[in-house]
Amino acid sequence: MKLLISILFVVFIFFCSSVSIAQEKKIIQYSGIVTTVGSGLPVGYATATNLSFRNEAFAANNEGYFSFVAHVGDTIRFSSVGFDPLIVTIPNVSGDKYTANIIMQNLVTELPMVTPYPWASIEEFNIAFMNLDVSEDNIVRVRRSLSYESLAAMAAVVPRDGNEMRSINNAQSFNTMNNKVINQRYANPLLNPFAWGSLIQQITKGNQSRTKTTKY
């Protein structure tokens, strides 16, 4: 029992000393911007963890800006997906504010090479290999691929590329300009009363000219 009381007493003294040391530390407003090496682009939503004070975590905004209260001498770890973690220590400053420029290094991870195969198992590969048709040469396969039926089937499912769409748009624009020159208002001449009047006048003048010619 005495041993247990002694252990509790030591733990209580250690806790009180830790609290007193933490209270003696100077409190400051720790702010800054997290950027990348070289480009200087902000690291959005980076996490800042205070390793010296209960692992409190703070998040930067989308522009990499952060601001939180900490003690002088605290160890801060900055981490973000795709970047190498960075550990910094808050220095002792004269005022109650400190602004830091945190620069993080891009983390490049090389993945092992993966070779995809169109067969799900060795058995399917053996079946496809045994049924492989090697009787045709390259020239026959090329001719079959460039046949009218093959090209028509591919044209029905393959989308047009940029050059083809540009040619179609140019042709449509050219036809539109020609139609505007020929018929600026896109009006039907059969529904134009002035056109009908001009036609009747031409027919009348033609009959009169034929009548005069017959008299002579």
Side-chain angles (χ1 to χ4, degrees), residues 100-120:
N101 185 16
I102 307 300
I103 302 176
M104 300 186 67
Q105 178 67 42
N106 297 80
L107 184 61
V108 179
T109 303
E110 294 184 2
L111 299 177
M113 183 182 66
V114 176
T115 304
Y117 294 99
W119 305 283

Side-chain angles (χ1 to χ4, degrees), residues 11 13 15 21 39-40 43 54 69 75 87-88 91 96 102 123 133-134 136-137 143 152 166 171 174 178 198 206 208:
V11 171
I13 296 298
F15 178 75
I21 293 173
S39 62
V43 180
R54 297 182 298 184
V69 177
T75 302
I87 297 177
V88 298
D96 58 351
I102 307 300
E123 290 75 12
D133 187 8
V134 294
E136 298 179 353
D137 56 359
R143 288 178 179 176
R166 184 178 61 182
F174 179 76
N178 287 340
S198 178
Q208 292 178 358

Side-chain angles (χ1 to χ4, degrees), residues 69-91:
V69 177
H71 301 88
V72 173
D74 287 351
T75 302
I76 310 298
R77 182 184 64 188
F78 293 90
S79 60
S80 181
V81 178
F83 294 89
D84 193 12
L86 180 65
I87 297 177
V88 298
T89 302
I90 300 177

Side-chain angles (χ1 to χ4, degrees), residues 160 162-175:
R160 295 185 175 92
N163 293 329
E164 189 174 2
M165 292 302 298
R166 184 178 61 182
S167 301
I168 294 174
N169 291 332
N170 291 336
Q172 291 179 352
S173 300
F174 179 76
N175 293 331

Side-chain angles (χ1 to χ4, degrees), residues 43-60:
V43 180
Y45 307 105
T47 302
T49 305
N50 192 343
L51 302 178
S52 302
F53 189 72
R54 297 182 298 184
N55 288 332
E56 288 186 345
F58 306 90

Side-chain angles (χ1 to χ4, degrees), residues 55-67:
N55 288 332
E56 288 186 345
F58 306 90
N61 60 6
N62 59 338
E63 296 180 355
Y65 175 78
F66 65 91
S67 180

